Amino acid sequence: MLKIWGRNDGSNVVKVMWCVGELGIPFERIDWGGPFGGNDEPEYRRKNPNGRLPTLEEDDGFTLWESGAVIRYLCAKHSLGNFYPEDLADRAAADKWMDWSSLNFASFNAVYLDQYFRLAEADRSAAAMEAGVKGALPWLDILDSHLADNDYLGGDRLTMADFPAGSLLHRWMHWTPNLPSHPNVAAYYNRIATRPAYQEHVVAPNAPRTQQIKEAGN
Ligand SMILES: N[C@@H](CCC(=O)N[C@@H](CS)C(=O)NCC(=O)O)C(=O)O
């Protein structure tokens, strides 16, 4: 059976697990990294020399790291012509949003993780948080404008394009102080958030941290 190594609340694991859930394939996810440790174990490093999460492992011993590559591989294997568009231009357009998410959109997530969870209270900075939100706004504007004419990032249906940015969007919607208005992004979020696989693999694993943020009054 397909194995995914990685704790369920790491953003790069979450995006892969939403994809796995949508594909409806059997899987085993192994709690790894973070509080579970194991990243430096030699056997794990042989599968993933970076000592990061997630790592995919197939029954025949094939292993793969880099969450975007994992999503592309799984969609090509199990959803050719659907989540993994067959048409070259459509596929490139979907690919584009995946890279855009990791290289641009995800920047706010690093700031939020530092400011909400990693830094000691004395080291947190309202200015850094504000800069994180401000820095993300141009990306949200781009997303909002694309979603004015498209129900999903890859066009009129869910594709691999949605898994990276769509999964991170949950944190943007729930962890951003004084959430700025992006009506098309909000409508897109409501569209994807009702999907059972999104609820299971994105909303539920994020819930403890979301609760922690709420209780802290942010
Ligand atoms: N570019 C890599 C980044 C992998 C990464 O940094 N993953 C984080 C979790 S989201 C990690 O391994 N952190 C260390 C840990 O959780 O132990 C990918 O997309 O797979």
Side-chain angles (χ1 to χ4, degrees):
M1 192 190 305
L2 169 72
K3 284 197 187 81
I4 303 290
W5 296 78
R7 59 190 167 88
N8 70 347
D9 61 353
S11 59
N12 294 297
V13 180
V14 166
K15 72 170 91 141
V16 165
M17 291 313 300
W18 179 27
C19 170
V20 168
E22 291 288 352
L23 289 169
I25 50 177
F27 70 88
E28 181 192 353
R29 189 189 53 74
I30 299 133
D31 279 329
W32 205 259
F36 302 99
N39 292 354
D40 292 328
E41 283 185 12
E43 203 182 322
Y44 185 70
R45 287 271 171 162
R46 275 194 286 278
K47 301 184 216 294
N48 184 340
N50 307 289
R52 311 291 282 190
L53 327 163
T55 302
L56 168 148
E57 184 174 12
E58 295 274 32
D59 282 338
D60 64 2
F62 175 68
T63 56
L64 188 63
W65 40 267
E66 274 306 325
S67 54
V70 170
I71 288 172
R72 289 177 178 98
Y73 164 79
L74 286 172
C75 290
K77 181 173 178 185
H78 298 286
S79 189
L80 187 60
N82 189 22
F83 290 167
Y84 192 86
E86 222 159 352
D87 177 82
L88 183 58
D90 289 348
R91 191 189 315 157
D95 253 339
K96 169 188 74 183
W97 285 109
M98 295 180 69
D99 289 351
W100 175 88
S101 178
S102 303
L103 296 168
N104 298 327
F105 184 55
S107 56
F108 78 87
N109 184 49
V111 177
Y112 289 10
L113 287 172
D114 280 346
Q115 296 299 322
Y116 283 134
F117 307 112
R118 288 192 185 127
L119 292 171
E121 204 149 350
D123 298 325
R124 291 181 197 150
S125 149
M129 188 70 181
E130 214 174 288
V133 174
K134 206 169 158 207
L137 288 180
W139 311 126
L140 267 298
D141 292 345
I142 288 168
L143 203 54
D144 204 59
S145 135
H146 178 67
L147 291 167
D149 303 318
N150 297 278
D151 279 354
Y152 297 92
L153 295 189
D156 59 3
R157 64 173 206 281
L158 191 81
T159 64
M160 64 181 182
D162 296 288
F163 299 127
S167 57
L168 267 183
L169 189 57
H170 181 72
R171 292 182 179 181
W172 174 259
M173 299 300 284
H174 292 274
W175 296 6
T176 302
N178 308 313
L179 183 70
S181 169
H182 290 96
N184 303 314
V185 170
Y188 168 71
Y189 175 71
N190 290 334
R191 209 170 291 131
I192 56 177
T194 54
R195 302 180 73 94
Y198 193 95
Q199 284 291 323
E200 181 179 349
H201 297 291
V202 183
V203 177
N206 272 296
R209 284 170 162 178
T210 305
Q211 187 62 26
Q212 210 177 320
I213 291 170
K214 264 200 216 153
E215 279 165 9
N218 292 300

